[in-house]
PDB file of all heavy atoms in Angstrom:
ATOM      1  N   GLU P 551      -0.535 -26.321  57.607  1.00  0.00           N
ATOM      2  CA  GLU P 551       0.319 -27.414  58.071  1.00  0.00           C
ATOM      3  C   GLU P 551       1.806 -27.083  57.890  1.00  0.00           C
ATOM      4  O   GLU P 551       2.201 -26.501  56.872  1.00  0.00           O
ATOM      5  CB  GLU P 551       0.000 -28.701  57.304  1.00  0.00           C
ATOM      6  CG  GLU P 551      -1.377 -29.267  57.580  1.00  0.00           C
ATOM      7  CD  GLU P 551      -1.541 -29.676  59.038  1.00  0.00           C
ATOM      8  OE1 GLU P 551      -0.571 -30.184  59.629  1.00  0.00           O
ATOM      9  OE2 GLU P 551      -2.644 -29.473  59.576  1.00  0.00           O
ATOM     10  N   PRO P 552       2.647 -27.447  58.860  1.00  0.00           N
ATOM     11  CA  PRO P 552       4.098 -27.252  58.707  1.00  0.00           C
ATOM     12  C   PRO P 552       4.627 -28.028  57.516  1.00  0.00           C
ATOM     13  O   PRO P 552       4.094 -29.084  57.156  1.00  0.00           O
ATOM     14  CB  PRO P 552       4.671 -27.809  60.023  1.00  0.00           C
ATOM     15  CG  PRO P 552       3.545 -27.739  60.996  1.00  0.00           C
ATOM     16  CD  PRO P 552       2.305 -27.995  60.190  1.00  0.00           C
ATOM     17  N   LYS P 553       5.673 -27.505  56.889  1.00  0.00           N
ATOM     18  CA  LYS P 553       6.286 -28.207  55.772  1.00  0.00           C
ATOM     19  C   LYS P 553       6.879 -29.528  56.254  1.00  0.00           C
ATOM     20  O   LYS P 553       7.360 -29.640  57.391  1.00  0.00           O
ATOM     21  CB  LYS P 553       7.385 -27.342  55.137  1.00  0.00           C
ATOM     22  CG  LYS P 553       6.838 -26.150  54.371  1.00  0.00           C
ATOM     23  CD  LYS P 553       7.941 -25.370  53.694  1.00  0.00           C
ATOM     24  CE  LYS P 553       7.351 -24.227  52.854  1.00  0.00           C
ATOM     25  NZ  LYS P 553       8.388 -23.399  52.233  1.00  0.00           N
ATOM     26  N   GLU P 554       6.868 -30.477  55.359  1.00  0.00           N
ATOM     27  CA  GLU P 554       7.303 -31.830  55.710  1.00  0.00           C
ATOM     28  C   GLU P 554       8.729 -31.861  56.246  1.00  0.00           C
ATOM     29  O   GLU P 554       9.044 -32.589  57.185  1.00  0.00           O
ATOM     30  CB  GLU P 554       7.195 -32.717  54.456  1.00  0.00           C
ATOM     31  CG  GLU P 554       7.457 -34.179  54.705  1.00  0.00           C
ATOM     32  CD  GLU P 554       7.277 -35.007  53.441  1.00  0.00           C
ATOM     33  OE1 GLU P 554       6.587 -34.528  52.512  1.00  0.00           O
ATOM     34  OE2 GLU P 554       7.825 -36.106  53.390  1.00  0.00           O
ATOM     35  N   GLU P 555       9.615 -31.022  55.643  1.00  0.00           N
ATOM     36  CA  GLU P 555      11.021 -31.068  56.035  1.00  0.00           C
ATOM     37  C   GLU P 555      11.364 -30.126  57.175  1.00  0.00           C
ATOM     38  O   GLU P 555      12.508 -30.101  57.660  1.00  0.00           O
ATOM     39  CB  GLU P 555      11.904 -30.721  54.822  1.00  0.00           C
ATOM     40  CG  GLU P 555      11.931 -29.247  54.432  1.00  0.00           C
ATOM     41  CD  GLU P 555      10.786 -28.806  53.548  1.00  0.00           C
ATOM     42  OE1 GLU P 555       9.838 -29.592  53.342  1.00  0.00           O
ATOM     43  OE2 GLU P 555      10.813 -27.658  53.069  1.00  0.00           O
ATOM     44  N   ALA P 556      10.382 -29.312  57.630  1.00  0.00           N
ATOM     45  CA  ALA P 556      10.667 -28.223  58.560  1.00  0.00           C
ATOM     46  C   ALA P 556      11.323 -28.680  59.856  1.00  0.00           C
ATOM     47  O   ALA P 556      12.364 -28.155  60.259  1.00  0.00           O
ATOM     48  CB  ALA P 556       9.385 -27.442  58.862  1.00  0.00           C
ATOM     49  N   ARG P 557      10.735 -29.658  60.526  1.00  0.00           N
ATOM     50  CA  ARG P 557      11.265 -30.071  61.824  1.00  0.00           C
ATOM     51  C   ARG P 557      12.696 -30.604  61.705  1.00  0.00           C
ATOM     52  O   ARG P 557      13.570 -30.265  62.512  1.00  0.00           O
ATOM     53  CB  ARG P 557      10.355 -31.118  62.466  1.00  0.00           C
ATOM     54  CG  ARG P 557      10.759 -31.445  63.890  1.00  0.00           C
ATOM     55  CD  ARG P 557       9.753 -32.363  64.594  1.00  0.00           C
ATOM     56  NE  ARG P 557      10.168 -32.602  65.959  1.00  0.00           N
ATOM     57  CZ  ARG P 557       9.905 -31.804  66.987  1.00  0.00           C
ATOM     58  NH1 ARG P 557       9.191 -30.709  66.798  1.00  0.00           N
ATOM     59  NH2 ARG P 557      10.335 -32.094  68.195  1.00  0.00           N
ATOM     60  N   HIS P 558      12.939 -31.402  60.684  1.00  0.00           N
ATOM     61  CA  HIS P 558      14.275 -31.977  60.497  1.00  0.00           C
ATOM     62  C   HIS P 558      15.310 -30.885  60.235  1.00  0.00           C
ATOM     63  O   HIS P 558      16.404 -30.890  60.815  1.00  0.00           O
ATOM     64  CB  HIS P 558      14.253 -32.966  59.331  1.00  0.00           C
ATOM     65  CG  HIS P 558      15.610 -33.400  58.877  1.00  0.00           C
ATOM     66  ND1 HIS P 558      16.399 -34.257  59.615  1.00  0.00           N
ATOM     67  CD2 HIS P 558      16.344 -33.070  57.762  1.00  0.00           C
ATOM     68  CE1 HIS P 558      17.546 -34.445  58.980  1.00  0.00           C
ATOM     69  NE2 HIS P 558      17.535 -33.740  57.856  1.00  0.00           N
ATOM     70  N   VAL P 559      14.970 -29.937  59.354  1.00  0.00           N
ATOM     71  CA  VAL P 559      15.915 -28.869  59.005  1.00  0.00           C
ATOM     72  C   VAL P 559      16.200 -27.980  60.213  1.00  0.00           C
ATOM     73  O   VAL P 559      17.356 -27.628  60.482  1.00  0.00           O
ATOM     74  CB  VAL P 559      15.372 -28.027  57.828  1.00  0.00           C
ATOM     75  CG1 VAL P 559      16.244 -26.803  57.588  1.00  0.00           C
ATOM     76  CG2 VAL P 559      15.290 -28.877  56.567  1.00  0.00           C
ATOM     77  N   LEU P 560      15.142 -27.628  60.949  1.00  0.00           N
ATOM     78  CA  LEU P 560      15.333 -26.765  62.121  1.00  0.00           C
ATOM     79  C   LEU P 560      16.182 -27.457  63.182  1.00  0.00           C
ATOM     80  O   LEU P 560      17.025 -26.823  63.832  1.00  0.00           O
ATOM     81  CB  LEU P 560      13.979 -26.356  62.693  1.00  0.00           C
ATOM     82  CG  LEU P 560      13.122 -25.466  61.773  1.00  0.00           C
ATOM     83  CD1 LEU P 560      11.731 -25.265  62.355  1.00  0.00           C
ATOM     84  CD2 LEU P 560      13.800 -24.129  61.522  1.00  0.00           C
ATOM     85  N   ALA P 561      15.982 -28.747  63.349  1.00  0.00           N
ATOM     86  CA  ALA P 561      16.798 -29.503  64.310  1.00  0.00           C
ATOM     87  C   ALA P 561      18.261 -29.508  63.870  1.00  0.00           C
ATOM     88  O   ALA P 561      19.186 -29.420  64.697  1.00  0.00           O
ATOM     89  CB  ALA P 561      16.270 -30.927  64.423  1.00  0.00           C
ATOM     90  N   GLN P 562      18.465 -29.568  62.574  1.00  0.00           N
ATOM     91  CA  GLN P 562      19.815 -29.565  62.004  1.00  0.00           C
ATOM     92  C   GLN P 562      20.506 -28.212  62.241  1.00  0.00           C
ATOM     93  O   GLN P 562      21.705 -28.157  62.516  1.00  0.00           O
ATOM     94  CB  GLN P 562      19.690 -29.848  60.496  1.00  0.00           C
ATOM     95  CG  GLN P 562      20.986 -29.960  59.743  1.00  0.00           C
ATOM     96  CD  GLN P 562      20.740 -30.176  58.251  1.00  0.00           C
ATOM     97  OE1 GLN P 562      19.621 -30.465  57.816  1.00  0.00           O
ATOM     98  NE2 GLN P 562      21.776 -30.037  57.452  1.00  0.00           N
ATOM     99  N   LEU P 563      19.738 -27.132  62.167  1.00  0.00           N
ATOM    100  CA  LEU P 563      20.293 -25.786  62.324  1.00  0.00           C
ATOM    101  C   LEU P 563      20.445 -25.379  63.796  1.00  0.00           C
ATOM    102  O   LEU P 563      21.248 -24.499  64.115  1.00  0.00           O
ATOM    103  CB  LEU P 563      19.397 -24.762  61.613  1.00  0.00           C
ATOM    104  CG  LEU P 563      19.300 -24.879  60.092  1.00  0.00           C
ATOM    105  CD1 LEU P 563      18.185 -23.977  59.570  1.00  0.00           C
ATOM    106  CD2 LEU P 563      20.625 -24.503  59.433  1.00  0.00           C
ATOM    107  N   GLN P 564      19.674 -26.006  64.659  1.00  0.00           N
ATOM    108  CA  GLN P 564      19.563 -25.596  66.054  1.00  0.00           C
ATOM    109  C   GLN P 564      20.919 -25.542  66.774  1.00  0.00           C
ATOM    110  O   GLN P 564      21.160 -24.679  67.618  1.00  0.00           O
ATOM    111  CB  GLN P 564      18.641 -26.555  66.815  1.00  0.00           C
ATOM    112  CG  GLN P 564      18.179 -26.057  68.172  1.00  0.00           C
ATOM    113  CD  GLN P 564      16.836 -25.349  68.085  1.00  0.00           C
ATOM    114  OE1 GLN P 564      15.922 -25.844  67.433  1.00  0.00           O
ATOM    115  NE2 GLN P 564      16.716 -24.195  68.702  1.00  0.00           N
ATOM    116  N   SER P 565      21.810 -26.475  66.427  1.00  0.00           N
ATOM    117  CA  SER P 565      23.070 -26.582  67.163  1.00  0.00           C
ATOM    118  C   SER P 565      24.041 -25.441  66.874  1.00  0.00           C
ATOM    119  O   SER P 565      24.915 -25.140  67.685  1.00  0.00           O
ATOM    120  CB  SER P 565      23.752 -27.916  66.848  1.00  0.00           C
ATOM    121  OG  SER P 565      23.945 -28.048  65.442  1.00  0.00           O
ATOM    122  N   ASN P 566      23.901 -24.790  65.711  1.00  0.00           N
ATOM    123  CA  ASN P 566      24.862 -23.745  65.327  1.00  0.00           C
ATOM    124  C   ASN P 566      24.274 -22.333  65.259  1.00  0.00           C
ATOM    125  O   ASN P 566      25.029 -21.371  65.153  1.00  0.00           O
ATOM    126  CB  ASN P 566      25.467 -24.086  63.961  1.00  0.00           C
ATOM    127  CG  ASN P 566      26.261 -25.371  63.989  1.00  0.00           C
ATOM    128  OD1 ASN P 566      27.065 -25.591  64.888  1.00  0.00           O
ATOM    129  ND2 ASN P 566      26.027 -26.235  63.015  1.00  0.00           N
ATOM    130  N   TYR P 567      22.953 -22.228  65.291  1.00  0.00           N
ATOM    131  CA  TYR P 567      22.329 -20.918  65.112  1.00  0.00           C
ATOM    132  C   TYR P 567      21.201 -20.714  66.117  1.00  0.00           C
ATOM    133  O   TYR P 567      20.574 -21.682  66.567  1.00  0.00           O
ATOM    134  CB  TYR P 567      21.756 -20.781  63.694  1.00  0.00           C
ATOM    135  CG  TYR P 567      22.769 -21.005  62.604  1.00  0.00           C
ATOM    136  CD1 TYR P 567      22.935 -22.270  62.029  1.00  0.00           C
ATOM    137  CD2 TYR P 567      23.580 -19.969  62.159  1.00  0.00           C
ATOM    138  CE1 TYR P 567      23.877 -22.493  61.039  1.00  0.00           C
ATOM    139  CE2 TYR P 567      24.528 -20.179  61.165  1.00  0.00           C
ATOM    140  CZ  TYR P 567      24.673 -21.446  60.611  1.00  0.00           C
ATOM    141  OH  TYR P 567      25.611 -21.661  59.637  1.00  0.00           O
ATOM    142  N   GLU P 568      20.959 -19.440  66.433  1.00  0.00           N
ATOM    143  CA  GLU P 568      19.780 -19.102  67.224  1.00  0.00           C
ATOM    144  C   GLU P 568      18.597 -19.004  66.270  1.00  0.00           C
ATOM    145  O   GLU P 568      18.651 -18.267  65.288  1.00  0.00           O
ATOM    146  CB  GLU P 568      19.990 -17.774  67.957  1.00  0.00           C
ATOM    147  CG  GLU P 568      18.791 -17.370  68.790  1.00  0.00           C
ATOM    148  CD  GLU P 568      18.960 -16.019  69.480  1.00  0.00           C
ATOM    149  OE1 GLU P 568      20.069 -15.438  69.392  1.00  0.00           O
ATOM    150  OE2 GLU P 568      17.987 -15.534  70.082  1.00  0.00           O
ATOM    151  N   LEU P 569      17.535 -19.751  66.558  1.00  0.00           N
ATOM    152  CA  LEU P 569      16.369 -19.785  65.679  1.00  0.00           C
ATOM    153  C   LEU P 569      15.206 -19.027  66.315  1.00  0.00           C
ATOM    154  O   LEU P 569      14.903 -19.220  67.491  1.00  0.00           O
ATOM    155  CB  LEU P 569      15.945 -21.228  65.397  1.00  0.00           C
ATOM    156  CG  LEU P 569      17.014 -22.179  64.846  1.00  0.00           C
ATOM    157  CD1 LEU P 569      16.405 -23.539  64.535  1.00  0.00           C
ATOM    158  CD2 LEU P 569      17.680 -21.603  63.608  1.00  0.00           C
ATOM    159  N   ILE P 570      14.573 -18.177  65.518  1.00  0.00           N
ATOM    160  CA  ILE P 570      13.433 -17.379  65.991  1.00  0.00           C
ATOM    161  C   ILE P 570      12.313 -17.493  64.970  1.00  0.00           C
ATOM    162  O   ILE P 570      12.564 -17.434  63.756  1.00  0.00           O
ATOM    163  CB  ILE P 570      13.831 -15.899  66.178  1.00  0.00           C
ATOM    164  CG1 ILE P 570      14.936 -15.774  67.230  1.00  0.00           C
ATOM    165  CG2 ILE P 570      12.622 -15.047  66.577  1.00  0.00           C
ATOM    166  CD1 ILE P 570      15.526 -14.380  67.343  1.00  0.00           C
ATOM    167  N   MET P 571      11.076 -17.648  65.454  1.00  0.00           N
ATOM    168  CA  MET P 571       9.923 -17.673  64.558  1.00  0.00           C
ATOM    169  C   MET P 571       9.089 -16.422  64.774  1.00  0.00           C
ATOM    170  O   MET P 571       8.745 -16.088  65.909  1.00  0.00           O
ATOM    171  CB  MET P 571       9.060 -18.913  64.811  1.00  0.00           C
ATOM    172  CG  MET P 571       7.907 -19.050  63.816  1.00  0.00           C
ATOM    173  SD  MET P 571       6.916 -20.539  64.095  1.00  0.00           S
ATOM    174  CE  MET P 571       5.824 -19.984  65.396  1.00  0.00           C
ATOM    175  N   LEU P 572       8.784 -15.717  63.684  1.00  0.00           N
ATOM    176  CA  LEU P 572       7.915 -14.537  63.730  1.00  0.00           C
ATOM    177  C   LEU P 572       6.535 -14.925  63.232  1.00  0.00           C
ATOM    178  O   LEU P 572       6.407 -15.642  62.232  1.00  0.00           O
ATOM    179  CB  LEU P 572       8.452 -13.429  62.821  1.00  0.00           C
ATOM    180  CG  LEU P 572       9.651 -12.604  63.276  1.00  0.00           C
ATOM    181  CD1 LEU P 572       9.890 -11.484  62.275  1.00  0.00           C
ATOM    182  CD2 LEU P 572       9.454 -12.033  64.647  1.00  0.00           C
TER     183      LEU P 572
END
Side-chain angles (χ1 to χ4, degrees):
E551 293 297 323
K553 289 183 176 177
E554 187 178 339
E555 75 276 9
R557 188 173 182 85
H558 168 72
V559 172
L560 295 173
Q562 183 183 348
L563 295 169
Q564 194 94 45
S565 56
N566 297 314
Y567 304 93
E568 180 182 354
L569 306 184
I570 299 172
M571 185 179 83
L572 284 186

